[in-house]
Amino acid sequence: MMGIIFTIFLVYQWDHVVPVLEFLGIIDWLDSMGLIYEDAAYLTGFSIFMFAIKATIIFCILVAVFLVLGIILTMIGSSSVGFFLLAVPFIILFSPFLFIYVLIKGAFETEEEKAENRRIYLEGKKTILELIQESSEELTKEQAFNRLNRLPTSGDTNFLIAVTKNEDIYLLLPNPVGVYFHEGVPAEKLAVEKTEVPIGKDPTKLPNRLTATLSETGSKYTTLPIEDINYIYNYNKKDFNPVINKFITTKRFDNYLKKAINSYFTRKFNLKRLMSESKTREDFNNYASQLVEMNAFNEDIVKMMWESEQFLTAEKE
């Protein structure tokens, strides 16, 4: 009965069914078996119906074999092999109904619905890098340097995202000493995955397209060589804020923060001392040029906090 109804449906809706079969790559296969008759929908439907009857007989035999083997193996040892052999025929049994549903749905879809389904399909296929690129602002290395040229502070979440040549993804941390930027950038490696999309849901409607987690352990941060970086982005906050908020509470960031601030002001103090002790103008100019490069834009406010902390530490001692 199902075969007769299916044949009538194919004949009646042949003009609508053909594009669906072509999209699924089935038309060429049916044509190669001599089942397609141009300008003869009724004859084509009958040929496919007869082919379906033969295939159904073979299918029933295979299902019976799988069922018998599955039951025997399950009775003997309750094995996973037995369970698999029982599951296979049921999957095969219901697959034609799924195929029929797809055909019927495709036959009555409007052009707008087809375009929308195609868009959703392509959205779901986008890579992690493509998702970052379309939702973030790409920066040059010079622009990134200007944004990172500051001292790190507690609660600072205004980091950047770097993608390496191997497509590894890193957080770039504030780096106050300009001369060191060209040697490498303090960074934190991230594990980034696409957020799982429920079946039938538009990926663009998700709260966040990417899910990022920390991939490093321990208390030591990473220094990422500049030459390894392919892209730098001002990141999409919806995707990366959760992992950044977690990172700034780690021991790694706390260690980096303290080391960066202490190194900055200690080095600046030493450069000023060396300038005052210079014996030659060449030495003086050399130290002065290094001092000029130390121009973190939040230096004044951080310096007051740092000096207060140094004073309190000395008082305790």
Side-chain angles (χ1 to χ4, degrees):
M1 181 61 69
M2 283 290 296
I4 294 171
I5 294 172
F6 185 53
T7 303
I8 294 172
F9 171 78
L10 282 177
V11 171
Y12 181 68
Q13 290 289 335
W14 185 248
D15 291 338
H16 297 287
V17 170
V18 167
V20 178
L21 295 177
E22 285 180 341
F23 177 77
L24 296 173
I26 296 174
I27 282 290
D28 291 339
W29 179 69
L30 292 174
D31 192 30
S32 67
M33 298 187 68
L35 300 176
I36 302 296
Y37 295 86
E38 291 189 18
D39 302 322
Y42 291 94
L43 188 56
T44 298
F46 178 75
S47 299
I48 294 175
F49 174 62
M50 293 304 297
F51 173 78
I53 289 177
K54 296 174 185 176
T56 301
I57 294 171
I58 297 172
F59 167 74
C60 290
I61 294 172
L62 290 175
V63 167
V65 171
F66 272 108
L67 282 173
V68 171
L69 287 175
I71 292 169
I72 292 173
L73 288 174
T74 304
M75 291 174 61
I76 292 174
S78 298
S79 66
S80 58
V81 175
F83 176 78
F84 173 76
L85 289 173
L86 282 172
V88 167
F90 285 103
I91 295 172
I92 297 174
L93 184 64
F94 286 101
S95 59
F97 295 99
L98 178 62
F99 176 69
I100 292 170
Y101 168 76
V102 172
L103 284 178
I104 294 173
K105 187 174 182 294
F108 292 98
E109 274 185 346
T110 64
E111 290 302 318
E112 291 77 10
E113 288 173 332
K114 289 179 181 178
E116 177 64 7
N117 290 335
R118 181 67 175 167
R119 183 192 67 78
I120 291 174
Y121 171 77
L122 293 176
E123 280 289 339
K125 286 292 185 180
K126 286 182 178 178
T127 65
I128 290 173
L129 181 56
E130 286 173 332
L131 291 174
I132 293 175
Q133 287 174 333
E134 71 178 21
S135 63
S136 305
E137 174 193 6
E138 185 174 354
L139 304 174
T140 64
K141 290 180 179 178
E142 187 63 30
Q143 289 172 322
F145 164 72
N146 291 332
R147 296 199 186 197
L148 293 172
N149 185 30
R150 68 182 191 277
L151 289 158
T153 56
S154 297
D156 187 358
T157 60
N158 192 21
F159 304 153
L160 299 178
I161 293 292
V163 181
T164 67
K165 294 175 182 177
N166 294 327
E167 296 195 0
D168 292 324
I169 299 171
Y170 288 83
L171 282 179
L172 300 185
L173 311 183
N175 182 34
V177 186
V179 68
Y180 293 149
F181 182 82
H182 305 290
E183 297 176 6
V185 186
E188 173 74 11
K189 190 174 183 180
L190 300 178
V192 181
E193 297 179 349
K194 291 167 62 177
T195 303
E196 187 174 344
V197 183
I199 296 175
K201 186 166 184 179
D202 185 349
T204 61
K205 304 297 183 185
L206 295 175
N208 56 297
R209 301 290 301 276
L210 300 172
T211 302
T213 55
L214 302 175
S215 63
E216 302 290 343
T217 58
S219 58
K220 186 73 173 70
Y221 60 88
T222 301
T223 300
L224 184 63
I226 290 297
E227 60 271 16
D228 289 351
I229 298 176
N230 243 10
Y231 307 100
I232 302 177
Y233 298 99
N234 186 20
Y235 61 90
N236 179 334
K237 293 179 170 50
K238 287 192 301 182
D239 290 332
F240 291 100
N241 262 359
V243 73
I244 290 174
N245 289 332
K246 182 176 181 180
F247 171 64
I248 62 176
T249 66
T250 64
K251 189 68 176 176
R252 284 193 301 286
F253 181 68
D254 187 56
N255 287 345
Y256 171 68
L257 183 149
K258 291 175 180 177
K259 182 178 179 181
I261 293 175
N262 286 332
S263 297
Y264 184 86
F265 289 115
T266 300
R267 183 167 184 263
K268 198 159 191 178
F269 173 81
N270 289 332
L271 283 171
K272 289 178 179 178
R273 178 180 56 80
L274 289 169
M275 284 175 63
S276 65
E277 297 174 356
S278 297
K279 304 295 184 183
T280 65
R281 177 161 295 280
E282 183 181 356
D283 287 342
F284 180 88
N285 290 339
N286 180 39
Y287 299 136
S289 64
Q290 292 183 51
L291 192 61
V292 168
E293 289 183 331
M294 301 185 68
N295 58 350
F297 62 78
N298 61 343
E299 176 182 326
D300 292 339
I301 185 66
V302 176
K303 184 178 181 182
M304 287 191 295
M305 297 165 58
W306 179 73
E307 287 177 341
S308 298
E309 187 176 323
Q310 296 295 105
F311 176 75
L312 290 173
T313 302
E315 283 279 298
K316 289 178 182 179
E317 295 176 352

